[in-house]
Amino acid sequence: MAPPDNDADATRSQAPVLAGAIATAPIVPGDTFVDDPERYAVEGRIGAGGMGTVVAARGSRLGRPVALKIVTAAREDLRRRFEREAQITARLQHPAIVPVYGAGRGRDGHPFYAMKHVSGEPLDQVVGKAATLADRIALLPNVIAVSEAIAYAHAERVIHRDLKPANILVGAFGETVVIDWGLAKDLAATADDDDEVTASPPQASGDETAYGKVMGTPAYMPVEQARGERVDERADVYALGAILYHVLAGRSPFVRDGETGVTWENMLARVLSAPPAPLATLQPAVPVDLLAVVARAMATDAAARYPSAGALAEDLKRFQTGQLVGAHDYSSWQLLRRWLRRYRTAVVVAGVAAVVLATASTVMVARIVRERDAAEVARTEAETQRGVAETQRRRADEQRDGAEHLVGFMLSDLKPQLDRVGRLDIMRGVAKNVDDYYGRLDQTASGLDARAVDQRAVALRVLGDVLIDQGDSAAATRAYRAAIALETGSRRDGAVVPAARAQIELGAALIDQGDLDVAAVAVDHGRAALEALSPRSPEAEVALATAYRRLGIIAFQRGHHDDAIAPLARCAEHARVALAAAGPHDFTAKKELAKCLDRTSDVDSARNDRVAAERDARASLALREEIIRDDPGDLEARFGAEVSWDKLYVLAVQASQPAQAKVASDTGIAIAESLVQREPDNAQWARALANAYLRRADMASSADQPGVAARVTGQAVAIAETLVARAPRDADRLADLADYLGKQGSYLADAHQLDAALASLRRALALAEQASAIAPANTQYRASVATVHEYLGDTLKLRGDFAGAATEYRARLAIDLALLHDAPDDVHLALNASATRFWLGDALAQQPAHRDEGIAAMATALEALHAMKAAGQLSPDFASTLPELEAELAKAKR
C-alpha cells in the first residue's frame, strides 16, 4: 500500500491559459495556480453506505486506480458531513489510514472525493476464514496497526466513532488500512456537527452504520454513544476492544449463537441493557492477558478504559512479545508458568521464541543464579555428608546443566527466530543479564569453567548483534571485543567458527564507525581462521561468505570498485557451497547469497554496468521470494525483498524507464509499510520506509510537482529525525537525515520557496559534514557533503547570488576531484566532476569580472562530457541534456 502522496490532484502547478490575454501580472507569494480538475472514469462498484456509493475508477492524468466515494443521498446535512469527512481524512497522513487524492463534483452535481484504491479484504471476512483460535490470534498485528492509526488520529484531535471490522481492510502483504471516516469528529472544531444529522428511523442491520441522533454501529459502540451522549477518544478505545473481542471470539460482541442478522434497534437495545457475554465463556483458551486487555478496553465506565488508543496498542505489543500486560494482575504461579512453557504454540509475531524469552531478563536469569547457588550449596553439603556425596553432586550438576542449557537455548536457538521476525531487540536485556551473571561468578574463588566461559562469550556476541541492529556500533564493538578475548583462548571443539564470526561482526561495527583500516584487519582475521578449517561445515561456509562480503564493502566504501569484485565473487561462491551442502531450505545460506548479490549489484552500478546490476538485483530478489513462499512469516526475507526492489527502482530511473520504476517503487513501499506497521521500533525497517518515501518524492519531482515532492520528503525527514535521536553519533543515520534534508531543500528550491530551501540545505550540510567527520574514510559520506554543496549552489543561483553559488560549486568540485584522484577509473566521479565544473563556469560567467574564466570552464566541461558520451559512459537521460548545455554555453558567449 503506498503512503499518502497528496499529489496535486486538487492544487495545480500551472495557471490556466487565458484567451486573448495580452499581459500578465507578476507572480507573488500566496498566488494559487489551478487547471482543469482530474477526470475519473468509473470502472465498477465497490460498495455503498449510509451517505452514498463507493466505486472503482481510474484517473486521466496518471492513469492510476482510485476509489471514489460519491454522495447520492439528497439531504443537504449529509452532504455537509461528507465534505467534512473528505477534509478530515485528507488531514490524516498515516500508513494505516486511507489517503485522499482530491475532491470535486460529478457532472450530476454529486460531491465526491478520490482516495487510494486499497486492495484487500475487510477484517470481518478475514476473521471468518480463520479456522482456529490460533489463526485468529495471529491477526493481532492488524489490531495493533489499527490501534496505532487511531492513536495518531487522536493526536490530531479526530475521533472515528464508527470503528468496526468491516471498516478495516487487510491487504495481501498484511498491511492494514482504516477506511470510512464518515462519522469522524474534529474535537478541536468549535461547531457542533452532531445536531446537523436529524433523527430518522434507521434501516440498517445491527452491524451496519446508521445516521441519526445515535450515530455509529451499535455492536461496536460504548453505552454512552448508544445513549446519544457526547463522546471522546475513549469511545474509539471501546470500539477497538470490541474489534479485538470479534477477532478472538470469531463473532461480533453482542451477536448470539446461530444469529444471522439483528436489527439496528434490537442491537442498540442490547448494548444499552447489559455488557456482552464474557469472552472467556465463548473462548476459554484465550490467554488471560488478552482477556484482561479486552475487558479493560470494553469497560462500561469510560474512566476505567485505557486512557488512549496508544496505551491499548502498547499493551497488545507487550502481549505480542511475551511481556507482562498492564491490564492483568499476575500471580506468582502465572509468572512461573510463562517461562516454563518453553514450547508454547506460536500465536504472536515471535511465536515460541517470544514467549520463552518474554520474562527472561526478569525471571530466567534470577532462576539461573538460584540454581547455580543451589548447586554450590549442594557441593558443600556433599563434602560434609560423604554418605550422600555422589547423589548430591549429581543433583547439583543436573541443576547447573539445566540452568545453563536454558541460557544456551535463549542465546542460540531463539536468536534466529527473532532475527526472522525483526525483534532481535528483545534479546538485549537477556544477553546483558547473562553476561553480568557470569561476570559476577568470574569474581569468585573458583572462577568460570570452560563451559561457562563459552556461554558468556555467546551472550556477548548476541549482545553485539543486538547493538548493531539498534545502531549503537560503538557499544557493539566493545561487546564483540570482549567476546573475542574470551573465545580466543577456548579449546572447545567448534569454537573456531563463533570466534571468527565475532571478528567478522566486529569488522561490521567498525565499518559503521568509518574505521575501515581496523575493520579490514578484524574481518581478515576471521576469514583466515575459517579458511584454515578443513573440512568446513555449512555454518563455516556461510561465515566465510560473510567475511568476503565485508571485505567487498570495505573496498567499495573506499571507492575502489574494481577491488570489490573479487571478494564479492568469493562471497557468492562460499554461500552457494553452503546452500548446496545444507539444502534448498537452508534460509541462512540463501539470505547470505542474496546479500552478496545485493552488494555485487551496487558495484556493477558504480562501474556503469546496468545490465549486470539489474541481473544481480533480480537474482537477489528471486532468492528472497523463494524464502517467502516457503515461509510467509519470515519478515527478514520480506525486508530483503524491499532492498532488492529499491535497487531495481534506482536502475529503472537511471535507464529512463518510468513504468518499471513505478512498479518497483510501489511494491517496495507496500512491503516497507507492512513491516513498519508490524514493528515500528525496528530501525532498519523504519529506514527502509523513509527511503521508500524518498522514492515517491523523486517520482513527484519527475512529474513536475516539486511542492508535493518536498512534502513527501518531509515524511522521510520525520523518520530520520527519530532514528538520529535514538543514536545521535551514528554516522549512517546522520548521513540519511542529511540526504533527506538535502533532497527536501532542492525540491523547495524548485518550488521557488528559496528561504525554506536554504534553511533545509544548511542544516543538511552541517549533518553531512558531521557524518563525514565521524567516518572520514567513508567516500559516500564525503560525496553527500558534495551533493549538498551543489544543491546550495543551485538555490543561491536562483536568488541571483552568483558569487555565493560559485563558492558552493567550488566546494563540490574540490571534493569531486579528491574522490576522483583516489579512484581515477570511476565513471560516476568523472561525470560529477565535469558537470560541477560546467555549473561553476555558468555561475562565474554571470559575473562580469569572471566571465571569460566561466566560459572556459564550461567549454572544458562540455568537451569532457562529449568524450564520455562517445565512450558510451553517459546514461541516456544525461546524454540527452548535452544540447541544453551547449545552448547555455552559447548564451554565455553572447
Side-chain angles (χ1 to χ4, degrees), residues 797 802 841-851 854 888 891-892:
K797 190 160 64 172
F802 298 109
D842 180 61
L844 291 169
Q846 305 297 324
Q847 305 171 63
H850 302 284
R851 180 174 176 274
E888 289 291 330
K891 179 180 175 182

Side-chain angles (χ1 to χ4, degrees), residues 451-538:
R451 182 175 180 178
V453 168
D454 289 340
Q455 293 279 45
R456 187 180 185 189
V458 171
L460 285 164
R461 281 193 286 107
V462 170
L463 182 58
D465 292 347
V466 174
L467 292 165
I468 277 285
D469 193 62
Q470 295 180 329
D472 193 347
S473 56
T477 299
R478 293 191 292 271
Y480 287 133
R481 281 181 167 148
I484 291 165
L486 289 169
E487 289 175 319
T488 299
S490 175
R491 297 181 180 180
R492 176 175 60 85
D493 290 342
V496 174
V497 174
R501 186 170 284 284
Q503 293 276 10
I504 295 164
E505 295 310 317
L506 170 62
L510 292 165
I511 290 171
D512 285 348
Q513 296 172 72
D515 197 344
L516 299 183
D517 291 337
V518 179
V521 172
V523 174
D524 205 52
H525 245 298
R527 180 205 58 77
L530 293 167
E531 293 275 20
L533 288 176
S534 182
R536 281 191 292 268
S537 66

Side-chain angles (χ1 to χ4, degrees), residues 88 91 156-159 161 184-191 193:
I88 287 174
R91 259 176 55 195
E156 296 291 315
R157 303 292 292 141
V158 172
I159 57 177
R161 296 195 296 184
K185 179 175 175 63
D186 184 351
L187 296 177
T190 55
D193 59 13

Side-chain angles (χ1 to χ4, degrees), residues 587 622-632:
F587 294 162
L623 288 167
R624 277 136 177 176
E625 288 179 338
E626 287 176 13
I627 296 172
I628 294 167
R629 279 195 297 272
D630 289 343
D631 183 6

Side-chain angles (χ1 to χ4, degrees), residues 180-198:
D180 199 346
W181 293 75
L183 293 185
K185 179 175 175 63
D186 184 351
L187 296 177
T190 55
D192 184 359
D193 59 13
D194 291 346
D195 294 332
E196 294 184 5
V197 179
T198 59

